[in-house]
Amino acid sequence: MPVLEARQSVCRACPRLVAWREDVAVTKRRAYADEPYWGRPIPGWGDPRAALLVVGLAPAAHGGNRTGRVFTGDRSGDVLFAALHRAGLANQPTSVAADDGLALTGVRIFAAVRCAPPDNKPTPAERDTCAPWVHREVALIRPTLRVVVALGAFAWAAWWPVLRQVYGVRPPSPRPVFGHGAHWSGSAAPDLLGCYHVSQQNTFTGRLTTQMLDDVFARAKQLAGVD
């Protein structure tokens, strides 16, 4: 895993994303003007023997792109890690810095696109370019992986190519439609659960509530056989 993480950290395959992540790291947000920014691709993070995988959209410009750890230092991460803590999968409910002592048990997290995109909107082409990193990481945790939670339709769509590339399984046709609580099960691959993204747009408006998020992780733990 460390070798894969090191290789990802120097990827420059998507010019638009490279330009944005590096510009943000130089201009910074005023609140973080005195902090160093990571400004590179964000690798996956968590338990290397995970039974449960959480797949997000892409790092936040002043969250993961600043701290160097996925979902760390932004409001979305606050919501996600609080839920993982309630589910007994994280040792603390907050994620503010890469050295804050947070640890995950039985779960790993990565984004479908590893670099922060402008307006938090990576393109499908950028997702496809980033897919080999996704496939390699899933291959490493394949022996223990049982359930995948896709945060949003973008992450849901990113999972289907994994079936062919990592598991040698033909993706279902037509593709199952994403929805909160949607569940797809295949005989030779992990179960897939859909969950609305933990974005402020969803949590502030009540589209995604604490109970809805807790229900998804409770279901994921049940399917994965995690206590």
Side-chain angles (χ1 to χ4, degrees), residues 16-17 20 116-122 126:
R16 187 181 80 109
L17 299 185
W20 176 254
D119 301 318
N120 292 319
K121 293 180 180 179
E126 289 162 346

Side-chain angles (χ1 to χ4, degrees), residues 4-212:
L4 176 63
E5 293 171 356
R7 289 176 176 172
Q8 288 180 77
S9 72
V10 295
C11 181
R12 302 180 67 85
C14 299
R16 187 181 80 109
L17 299 185
V18 170
W20 176 254
R21 80 192 190 203
E22 294 181 354
D23 180 67
V24 168
V26 172
T27 58
K28 303 183 180 182
R29 177 175 285 173
R30 182 178 299 177
Y32 310 121
D34 296 328
E35 296 184 20
Y37 270 57
W38 173 256
R40 289 185 279 165
I42 312 301
W45 180 77
D47 193 335
R49 295 181 54 81
L52 196 160
L53 171 65
V54 178
V55 182
L57 173 69
H62 303 283
N65 190 56
R66 172 174 59 89
T67 63
R69 191 173 72 192
V70 64
F71 279 111
T72 296
D74 59 57
R75 293 289 183 86
S76 295
D78 292 344
V79 174
L80 176 60
F81 286 108
L84 292 174
H85 182 257
R86 290 193 299 272
L89 299 169
N91 68 330
Q92 62 188 43
T94 57
S95 179
V96 296
D99 60 354
D100 61 5
L102 177 64
L104 301 180
T105 301
V107 61
R108 191 166 182 85
I109 305 172
F110 64 61
V113 172
R114 304 302 169 99
C115 294
D119 301 318
N120 292 319
K121 293 180 180 179
T123 68
E126 289 162 346
R127 178 182 60 203
D128 294 344
T129 300
C130 215
W133 298 121
V134 170
H135 301 161
R136 291 169 195 166
E137 188 158 354
V138 173
L140 289 174
I141 61 174
R142 177 179 175 177
T144 57
L145 184 60
R146 298 292 177 265
V147 178
V148 176
V149 175
L151 299 178
F154 194 90
W156 179 269
W159 180 250
W160 305 120
V162 175
L163 297 182
R164 188 184 302 276
Q165 295 298 324
V166 179
Y167 293 90
V169 174
R170 178 178 297 178
S173 182
R175 302 285 191 268
V177 177
F178 170 78
H180 185 81
H183 178 205
W184 175 84
S185 181
S187 59
D191 283 43
L192 177 65
L193 290 175
C195 178
Y196 289 147
H197 196 280
V198 289
S199 65
Q200 293 184 62
Q201 181 179 359
N202 286 337
T203 57
F204 284 7
T205 61
R207 188 179 191 220
L208 177 64
T209 66
T210 298
Q211 187 61 57
M212 291 167 66

